[in-house]
Amino acid sequence: MENQTQIFGIRAIIEAINAGETIDKVFLQKGLKGELFSELESCLRKNAINSSYVPVEKLNRLTRKNHQGAVAQISPIEFHDIETLVVNVIESGKTPLFLLLDQLSDVRNFGAIIRTAECTGVNGIIIQKKGGAPVNGDTIKTSAGAVFKIPICKVDHIKDAVFYMQASGINVIAATEKTDKTLYDVSFKEPCAIIMGSEGRGINPSTLKVVNTKAKLPILGDIESLNVSVACGAFLYEVVRQRIND
């Protein structure tokens, strides 16, 4: 699967971008120079494609082929337009349920969340273009193929999605420990979007300031937090419980 989701070589990556290929991230060799390499860098900036500079050893681990200092991860899925998705869900008559992921970095957590989201009737997942885990072979495997069954959208910033959800009449609920309210104190029966934060930082503070509601999981043990995919599952199944019993 990984070989099917990679492009290597500077010219090949440039051509793929110009052809409209959906690329999640490009790894570039630190310190590399040259006219063609500069053209690739310019192309990445112009198309707002996520990239990072890494040691050549990292590239050699990604592929044994002649990568020329550049390896791209191709998304195996087509991403949806958030505005079109939200409108379609509202017009379908369903009670909207969306999931916003604020720069999760672990692809296995990402995949596990996608799997749970599909099982709990989430209408779509929104991720940020930069800083988050890519949709790759590990994501597909841990999602048990659910990545092909649930719409995924990319936005420039999660706050963009928050504002659009709110403008569409959808209540935005942040899963965060920075509140006294638990998820059992919150109603999920109305249209809602749940935000889950990254593994280390949680939800961006600037995003927390603009949400409608904050809720946390009660923690009874000594460890202060749960794995993000486990926490996400608890929130989503509370939505299911409330809506089934409504």
Side-chain angles (χ1 to χ4, degrees), residues 32-92:
L32 200 61
K33 304 292 183 183
E35 184 176 337
L36 191 58
F37 190 74
S38 296
E39 182 182 342
L40 173 57
E41 291 176 308
S42 176
C43 192
L44 294 173
R45 288 192 297 270
K46 179 181 177 182
N47 291 275
I49 295 173
N50 192 15
S51 63
S52 64
Y53 292 88
V54 299
V56 67
E57 290 80 8
K58 165 77 172 179
L59 299 176
N60 292 339
R61 288 195 297 271
L62 289 173
T63 180
R64 295 181 181 180
K65 305 289 187 177
N66 180 21
H67 51 69
Q68 300 175 317
V71 176
Q73 293 180 331
I74 313 170
S75 174
I77 64 168
E78 289 294 327
F79 292 99
H80 293 245
D81 174 72
I82 184 173
E83 295 184 10
T84 302
L85 176 62
V86 171
V87 169
N88 288 343
V89 172
I90 292 173
E91 291 182 347
S92 73

Side-chain angles (χ1 to χ4, degrees), residues 196-208:
M196 304 301 302
S198 65
E199 293 86 351
R201 184 192 62 185
I203 297 171
N204 191 303
S206 67
T207 302
L208 274 179

Side-chain angles (χ1 to χ4, degrees), residues 97 112-113 115-122 183-184 188 194 217 229-245:
L97 173 59
I113 285 173
R115 183 174 183 174
T116 303
E118 201 281 329
C119 290
T120 52
V122 171
L183 78 165
Y184 306 117
F188 294 97
I194 300 170
L217 284 165
S229 66
V230 175
C232 185
F235 268 83
L236 291 177
Y237 268 99
E238 176 60 14
V239 179
V240 171
R241 186 191 70 81
Q242 290 190 19
R243 292 186 178 185
I244 285 177
N245 293 331

Side-chain angles (χ1 to χ4, degrees), residues 105-163:
S105 59
D106 188 289
V107 291
R108 292 174 179 81
N109 280 337
F110 187 24
I113 285 173
I114 294 171
R115 183 174 183 174
T116 303
E118 201 281 329
C119 290
T120 52
V122 171
N123 301 120
I125 297 173
I126 293 83
I127 61 176
Q128 195 161 292
K129 288 181 180 177
K130 291 187 177 183
V135 178
N136 60 18
D138 283 334
T139 316
I140 294 168
K141 183 177 180 180
T142 52
S143 78
V147 69
F148 299 115
K149 298 179 180 294
I150 186 167
I152 299 177
C153 308
K154 278 190 171 185
V155 292
D156 290 330
H157 194 285
I158 287 297
K159 282 174 68 175
D160 298 334
V162 171
F163 293 139

